[in-house]
Amino acid sequence: MFQAGYPCPRPLTGAAPFGDDIATAEAYVPGGAMLPSADQAAQAFAEAFARLITQAPRPVEVPGLDPAPSWAAWSHAENGLWPRPEDPDINLNEVAGPQWIDDAGRQARDRLRAGGSEAVIGHCDWLASNLRWSGDALLVVHDWDSMTADSEPVLAGFAHWGTLPAGFPESGSCWCAQSAVTHV
């Protein structure tokens, strides 16, 4: 993405084994605000995300994007509705809760699988804390280990997660899961 001119840190090394993981090093990019101006925030986030998808290589050109991070593994082949937990103490497949949440998740998953949209490369952790702005211009995007290949509707859903109201889900609002099924 750096070579394509997208605002991201310059890689200093290639990916290298680091214990059971992979490590990279990149140049430090100082400064920037967490949010663009309030009256342009939604448009600025959307345009930056669309530019990322447009400038990204095709998935076949980038080996090694699998598996998706646990929170993005919605179409997993494992047992259970919900993807493997990142925190081994909480497995959503073992949590008792309102049935409508599982129903909404199942309906959204089934619609996305049936959609047959072509995979593109995008950022599945498109949060304000991973982006920095200079006014309304995107200065830099961080957290490049959150790149994944999926359909544009799925990636747009991940990007939307970063725009939820402050305090969600602690606010008790459940509109997102219900409206996700309606709009997928």
Side-chain angles (χ1 to χ4, degrees):
M1 293 306 302
F2 178 80
Q3 291 174 338
Y6 196 78
C8 59
R10 179 177 50 87
L12 299 175
T13 66
F18 188 74
D20 291 337
D21 295 314
I22 301 291
T24 61
E26 56 193 37
Y28 173 65
V29 180
M34 192 176 287
L35 297 171
S37 60
D39 61 334
Q40 296 295 320
Q43 182 174 343
F45 270 84
E47 288 174 354
F49 194 72
R51 181 176 163 207
L52 167 67
I53 289 174
T54 301
Q55 287 186 271
R58 295 183 356 220
V60 297
E61 298 173 43
V62 183
L65 291 177
D66 287 326
S70 62
W71 67 91
W74 67 273
S75 191
H76 63 88
E78 300 166 3
N79 291 328
L81 172 63
W82 304 106
R84 69 188 178 287
E86 184 154 312
D87 180 349
D89 295 336
I90 302 171
N91 183 339
L92 293 177
N93 292 301
E94 298 172 357
V95 174
Q99 185 60 42
W100 70 266
I101 293 175
D102 285 348
D103 292 343
R106 191 173 296 102
Q107 289 174 16
R109 181 201 59 201
D110 293 348
R111 281 188 178 180
L112 288 168
R113 283 182 176 167
S117 296
E118 181 180 340
V120 296
I121 292 178
H123 198 295
C124 65
D125 204 8
W126 194 254
L127 303 174
S129 60
N130 288 331
L131 286 73
R132 291 295 177 270
W133 301 88
S134 177
D136 289 334
L138 183 60
L139 175 66
V140 65
V141 176
H142 296 288
D143 196 21
W144 289 97
D145 62 338
S146 293
M147 294 298 282
T148 193
D150 216 319
S151 69
E152 282 190 48
V154 168
L155 293 170
F158 292 138
H160 173 67
W161 176 254
T163 66
L164 291 175
F168 186 88
E170 292 82 10
S171 67
S173 173
C174 292
W175 63 269
C176 184
Q178 291 170 330
S179 66
V181 172
T182 304
H183 293 98
V184 169

